[in-house]
Short mmCIF file of all heavy atoms in Angstrom, two decimals:
data_model
loop_
_atom_site.label_atom_id
_atom_site.label_comp_id
_atom_site.label_asym_id
_atom_site.label_seq_id
_atom_site.Cartn_x
_atom_site.Cartn_y
_atom_site.Cartn_z
N SER A 1 101.91 68.64 109.43
CA SER A 1 102.23 67.44 110.23
C SER A 1 101.57 66.19 109.68
O SER A 1 102.03 65.08 109.95
CB SER A 1 101.80 67.65 111.68
OG SER A 1 100.40 67.92 111.76
N SER A 2 100.50 66.34 108.88
CA SER A 2 99.77 65.17 108.39
C SER A 2 100.17 64.74 106.99
O SER A 2 99.75 63.70 106.52
CB SER A 2 98.26 65.46 108.43
OG SER A 2 97.96 66.60 107.64
N PHE A 3 101.00 65.56 106.30
CA PHE A 3 101.53 65.20 104.99
C PHE A 3 102.83 65.97 104.80
O PHE A 3 103.06 66.98 105.47
CB PHE A 3 100.52 65.52 103.88
CG PHE A 3 100.23 66.98 103.69
CD1 PHE A 3 100.89 67.74 102.73
CD2 PHE A 3 99.28 67.63 104.48
CE1 PHE A 3 100.63 69.09 102.55
CE2 PHE A 3 99.01 68.98 104.31
CZ PHE A 3 99.69 69.71 103.35
N PRO A 4 103.70 65.53 103.90
CA PRO A 4 105.02 66.16 103.77
C PRO A 4 104.99 67.43 102.92
O PRO A 4 105.57 67.48 101.84
CB PRO A 4 105.86 65.07 103.13
CG PRO A 4 104.89 64.29 102.31
CD PRO A 4 103.60 64.30 103.09
N GLY A 5 104.29 68.43 103.38
CA GLY A 5 104.16 69.66 102.61
C GLY A 5 103.94 70.85 103.51
O GLY A 5 104.39 70.88 104.67
N ALA A 6 103.22 71.83 102.99
CA ALA A 6 102.95 73.06 103.73
C ALA A 6 101.48 73.40 103.63
O ALA A 6 100.82 73.09 102.63
CB ALA A 6 103.79 74.20 103.18
N LEU A 7 100.96 74.04 104.67
CA LEU A 7 99.55 74.45 104.64
C LEU A 7 99.36 75.80 105.30
O LEU A 7 100.18 76.25 106.10
CB LEU A 7 98.66 73.38 105.29
CG LEU A 7 98.92 72.95 106.73
CD1 LEU A 7 98.42 73.95 107.74
CD2 LEU A 7 98.28 71.59 107.00
N LEU A 8 98.28 76.42 104.92
CA LEU A 8 97.86 77.71 105.48
C LEU A 8 96.38 77.57 105.81
O LEU A 8 95.55 77.41 104.91
CB LEU A 8 98.10 78.83 104.46
CG LEU A 8 97.82 80.27 104.92
CD1 LEU A 8 98.76 80.67 106.05
CD2 LEU A 8 97.97 81.23 103.74
N HIS A 9 96.05 77.59 107.10
CA HIS A 9 94.69 77.34 107.54
C HIS A 9 93.74 78.47 107.15
O HIS A 9 94.13 79.64 107.05
CB HIS A 9 94.64 77.16 109.05
CG HIS A 9 95.35 75.93 109.54
ND1 HIS A 9 96.61 75.98 110.10
CD2 HIS A 9 94.98 74.63 109.54
CE1 HIS A 9 96.98 74.76 110.46
NE2 HIS A 9 96.01 73.91 110.13
N HIS A 10 92.48 78.10 106.99
CA HIS A 10 91.42 79.06 106.71
C HIS A 10 91.41 80.19 107.74
O HIS A 10 91.33 81.37 107.39
CB HIS A 10 90.07 78.33 106.68
CG HIS A 10 88.89 79.18 106.31
ND1 HIS A 10 88.29 80.05 107.20
CD2 HIS A 10 88.18 79.28 105.15
CE1 HIS A 10 87.27 80.64 106.61
NE2 HIS A 10 87.19 80.20 105.37
N HIS A 11 91.50 79.84 109.02
CA HIS A 11 91.43 80.88 110.06
C HIS A 11 92.64 81.81 110.00
O HIS A 11 92.54 82.99 110.36
CB HIS A 11 91.29 80.26 111.45
CG HIS A 11 92.49 79.51 111.94
ND1 HIS A 11 93.56 80.13 112.55
CD2 HIS A 11 92.79 78.18 111.92
CE1 HIS A 11 94.46 79.23 112.89
NE2 HIS A 11 94.03 78.04 112.51
N GLU A 12 93.78 81.31 109.53
CA GLU A 12 94.95 82.17 109.37
C GLU A 12 94.75 83.15 108.21
O GLU A 12 95.19 84.30 108.27
CB GLU A 12 96.19 81.32 109.11
CG GLU A 12 96.60 80.44 110.28
CD GLU A 12 97.78 79.55 109.94
OE1 GLU A 12 97.64 78.68 109.05
OE2 GLU A 12 98.83 79.71 110.57
N ILE A 13 94.08 82.68 107.16
CA ILE A 13 93.79 83.56 106.03
C ILE A 13 92.81 84.65 106.45
O ILE A 13 92.99 85.83 106.12
CB ILE A 13 93.23 82.74 104.85
CG1 ILE A 13 94.24 81.68 104.40
CG2 ILE A 13 92.84 83.65 103.69
CD1 ILE A 13 93.68 80.67 103.41
N VAL A 14 91.77 84.27 107.19
CA VAL A 14 90.80 85.25 107.68
C VAL A 14 91.48 86.30 108.54
O VAL A 14 91.16 87.50 108.46
CB VAL A 14 89.68 84.53 108.47
CG1 VAL A 14 88.78 85.54 109.18
CG2 VAL A 14 88.86 83.65 107.55
N ALA A 15 92.47 85.86 109.34
CA ALA A 15 93.14 86.77 110.27
C ALA A 15 94.09 87.74 109.58
O ALA A 15 94.53 88.73 110.21
CB ALA A 15 93.91 85.97 111.32
N VAL A 16 94.41 87.50 108.31
CA VAL A 16 95.32 88.38 107.59
C VAL A 16 94.79 89.80 107.53
O VAL A 16 95.53 90.78 107.66
CB VAL A 16 95.58 87.84 106.16
CG1 VAL A 16 96.19 88.90 105.26
CG2 VAL A 16 96.46 86.60 106.22
N GLY A 17 93.49 89.93 107.32
CA GLY A 17 92.89 91.25 107.21
C GLY A 17 91.46 91.17 106.76
O GLY A 17 90.97 90.12 106.35
N PRO A 18 90.74 92.29 106.81
CA PRO A 18 89.31 92.29 106.53
C PRO A 18 88.96 92.39 105.05
O PRO A 18 87.78 92.39 104.71
CB PRO A 18 88.82 93.51 107.29
CG PRO A 18 89.98 94.46 107.24
CD PRO A 18 91.21 93.61 107.31
N SER A 19 89.95 92.49 104.17
CA SER A 19 89.62 92.65 102.75
C SER A 19 89.98 91.41 101.95
O SER A 19 90.92 90.67 102.29
CB SER A 19 90.36 93.86 102.16
OG SER A 19 91.71 93.57 101.93
N HIS A 20 89.23 91.21 100.88
CA HIS A 20 89.50 90.10 99.97
C HIS A 20 90.91 90.21 99.39
O HIS A 20 91.63 89.21 99.27
CB HIS A 20 88.45 90.10 98.85
CG HIS A 20 88.68 89.05 97.80
ND1 HIS A 20 89.48 89.28 96.69
CD2 HIS A 20 88.23 87.78 97.68
CE1 HIS A 20 89.49 88.19 95.94
NE2 HIS A 20 88.75 87.27 96.52
N ALA A 21 91.32 91.42 99.02
CA ALA A 21 92.63 91.62 98.42
C ALA A 21 93.75 91.21 99.36
O ALA A 21 94.73 90.57 98.95
CB ALA A 21 92.80 93.07 97.99
N GLU A 22 93.64 91.58 100.63
CA GLU A 22 94.68 91.21 101.61
C GLU A 22 94.77 89.70 101.75
O GLU A 22 95.86 89.11 101.77
CB GLU A 22 94.36 91.83 102.97
CG GLU A 22 94.54 93.34 103.04
CD GLU A 22 94.07 93.89 104.37
OE1 GLU A 22 92.86 93.73 104.70
OE2 GLU A 22 94.89 94.49 105.09
N GLN A 23 93.62 89.05 101.84
CA GLN A 23 93.60 87.60 102.00
C GLN A 23 94.15 86.91 100.76
O GLN A 23 94.95 85.96 100.85
CB GLN A 23 92.18 87.14 102.29
CG GLN A 23 91.64 87.64 103.62
CD GLN A 23 90.18 87.28 103.83
OE1 GLN A 23 89.53 86.66 102.99
NE2 GLN A 23 89.64 87.66 104.99
N ARG A 24 93.74 87.38 99.60
CA ARG A 24 94.19 86.78 98.35
C ARG A 24 95.71 86.92 98.18
O ARG A 24 96.39 85.97 97.81
CB ARG A 24 93.46 87.46 97.18
CG ARG A 24 93.84 86.91 95.81
CD ARG A 24 93.19 87.73 94.70
NE ARG A 24 93.58 87.23 93.40
CZ ARG A 24 92.95 86.27 92.75
NH1 ARG A 24 91.88 85.71 93.28
NH2 ARG A 24 93.39 85.86 91.56
N ASN A 25 96.23 88.10 98.47
CA ASN A 25 97.66 88.33 98.33
C ASN A 25 98.46 87.45 99.28
O ASN A 25 99.55 86.96 98.93
CB ASN A 25 97.99 89.80 98.58
CG ASN A 25 97.51 90.71 97.45
OD1 ASN A 25 97.28 90.25 96.33
ND2 ASN A 25 97.33 91.98 97.75
N ALA A 26 97.94 87.22 100.47
CA ALA A 26 98.63 86.37 101.43
C ALA A 26 98.70 84.93 100.94
O ALA A 26 99.74 84.25 101.07
CB ALA A 26 97.94 86.43 102.79
N VAL A 27 97.62 84.43 100.37
CA VAL A 27 97.61 83.05 99.88
C VAL A 27 98.49 82.92 98.64
O VAL A 27 99.22 81.93 98.50
CB VAL A 27 96.17 82.58 99.60
CG1 VAL A 27 96.18 81.17 99.03
CG2 VAL A 27 95.35 82.62 100.89
N LEU A 28 98.43 83.89 97.76
CA LEU A 28 99.31 83.85 96.59
C LEU A 28 100.78 83.84 97.01
O LEU A 28 101.60 83.09 96.45
CB LEU A 28 99.04 85.04 95.68
CG LEU A 28 97.93 84.86 94.65
CD1 LEU A 28 97.55 86.20 94.02
CD2 LEU A 28 98.34 83.87 93.56
N ALA A 29 101.12 84.65 98.01
CA ALA A 29 102.50 84.67 98.49
C ALA A 29 102.90 83.31 99.06
O ALA A 29 104.03 82.84 98.84
CB ALA A 29 102.66 85.75 99.55
N PHE A 30 102.00 82.67 99.77
CA PHE A 30 102.25 81.34 100.33
C PHE A 30 102.49 80.32 99.22
O PHE A 30 103.48 79.57 99.25
CB PHE A 30 101.06 80.93 101.20
CG PHE A 30 101.01 79.47 101.54
CD1 PHE A 30 101.84 78.93 102.51
CD2 PHE A 30 100.11 78.62 100.88
CE1 PHE A 30 101.79 77.57 102.82
CE2 PHE A 30 100.05 77.27 101.19
CZ PHE A 30 100.90 76.75 102.15
N LEU A 31 101.63 80.28 98.22
CA LEU A 31 101.77 79.31 97.14
C LEU A 31 103.01 79.59 96.29
O LEU A 31 103.71 78.66 95.87
CB LEU A 31 100.52 79.32 96.27
CG LEU A 31 99.22 78.90 96.97
CD1 LEU A 31 98.03 79.07 96.03
CD2 LEU A 31 99.29 77.47 97.47
N ARG A 32 103.28 80.86 96.06
CA ARG A 32 104.49 81.21 95.28
C ARG A 32 105.76 80.84 96.03
O ARG A 32 106.76 80.46 95.41
CB ARG A 32 104.47 82.71 94.97
CG ARG A 32 103.45 83.10 93.90
CD ARG A 32 103.28 84.61 93.84
NE ARG A 32 102.34 85.02 92.79
CZ ARG A 32 101.69 86.17 92.78
NH1 ARG A 32 101.86 87.04 93.78
NH2 ARG A 32 100.86 86.46 91.79
N LYS A 33 105.75 80.94 97.35
CA LYS A 33 106.91 80.53 98.14
C LYS A 33 107.18 79.05 97.94
O LYS A 33 108.33 78.63 97.73
CB LYS A 33 106.68 80.84 99.62
CG LYS A 33 107.79 80.35 100.56
CD LYS A 33 109.12 81.00 100.26
CE LYS A 33 110.18 80.57 101.27
NZ LYS A 33 111.52 81.15 100.98
N GLY A 34 106.13 78.24 98.00
CA GLY A 34 106.31 76.81 97.77
C GLY A 34 106.83 76.53 96.37
O GLY A 34 107.73 75.69 96.18
N ARG A 35 106.30 77.22 95.38
CA ARG A 35 106.76 77.05 93.99
C ARG A 35 108.22 77.44 93.86
O ARG A 35 109.01 76.76 93.20
CB ARG A 35 105.89 77.88 93.06
CG ARG A 35 106.25 77.74 91.59
CD ARG A 35 105.44 78.71 90.74
NE ARG A 35 105.72 80.11 91.09
CZ ARG A 35 104.99 81.15 90.69
NH1 ARG A 35 103.93 80.95 89.95
NH2 ARG A 35 105.32 82.38 91.04
N SER A 36 108.61 78.56 94.48
CA SER A 36 109.99 79.02 94.40
C SER A 36 110.96 78.00 95.01
O SER A 36 112.02 77.73 94.45
CB SER A 36 110.12 80.37 95.11
OG SER A 36 111.45 80.83 95.10
N LEU A 37 110.59 77.43 96.15
CA LEU A 37 111.44 76.43 96.77
C LEU A 37 111.62 75.21 95.87
O LEU A 37 112.75 74.69 95.73
CB LEU A 37 110.85 76.01 98.11
CG LEU A 37 111.01 76.97 99.28
CD1 LEU A 37 110.11 76.57 100.45
CD2 LEU A 37 112.48 77.00 99.73
N LEU A 38 110.53 74.76 95.26
CA LEU A 38 110.58 73.52 94.51
C LEU A 38 111.14 73.70 93.11
O LEU A 38 111.88 72.85 92.60
CB LEU A 38 109.18 72.92 94.45
CG LEU A 38 108.62 72.45 95.79
CD1 LEU A 38 107.14 72.14 95.68
CD2 LEU A 38 109.38 71.23 96.30
N VAL A 39 110.77 74.81 92.45
CA VAL A 39 111.19 75.00 91.06
C VAL A 39 112.54 75.71 90.98
O VAL A 39 113.39 75.34 90.16
CB VAL A 39 110.11 75.80 90.29
CG1 VAL A 39 110.58 76.13 88.88
CG2 VAL A 39 108.81 75.00 90.23
N ASP A 40 112.75 76.70 91.84
CA ASP A 40 113.99 77.48 91.79
C ASP A 40 115.00 77.05 92.86
O ASP A 40 116.15 77.50 92.84
CB ASP A 40 113.69 78.96 91.96
CG ASP A 40 112.72 79.49 90.90
OD1 ASP A 40 112.83 79.02 89.75
OD2 ASP A 40 111.87 80.34 91.23
N GLY A 41 114.55 76.26 93.81
CA GLY A 41 115.46 75.84 94.89
C GLY A 41 115.76 76.91 95.89
O GLY A 41 116.75 76.84 96.63
#
């Protein structure tokens, strides 16, 4: 809402799961989704 993009809050990442791997995979999926929309349409 504060800029024309997408965000994933820290607390949402923490809530993904108790492991580093789960959190990392969730953020990578988020960033890759943005890349796919912009680069691949």
Side-chain angles (χ1 to χ4, degrees):
S1 59
S2 58
F3 66 96
L7 57 77
L8 185 63
H9 294 102
H10 183 282
H11 69 84
E12 294 176 296
I13 300 170
V14 171
V16 164
S19 76
H20 176 272
E22 289 174 300
Q23 295 175 359
R24 181 186 179 88
N25 289 338
V27 177
L28 273 168
F30 164 77
L31 297 175
R32 287 169 178 157
K33 175 62 176 178
R35 182 186 63 192
S36 178
L37 284 167
L38 293 168
V39 175
D40 301 324

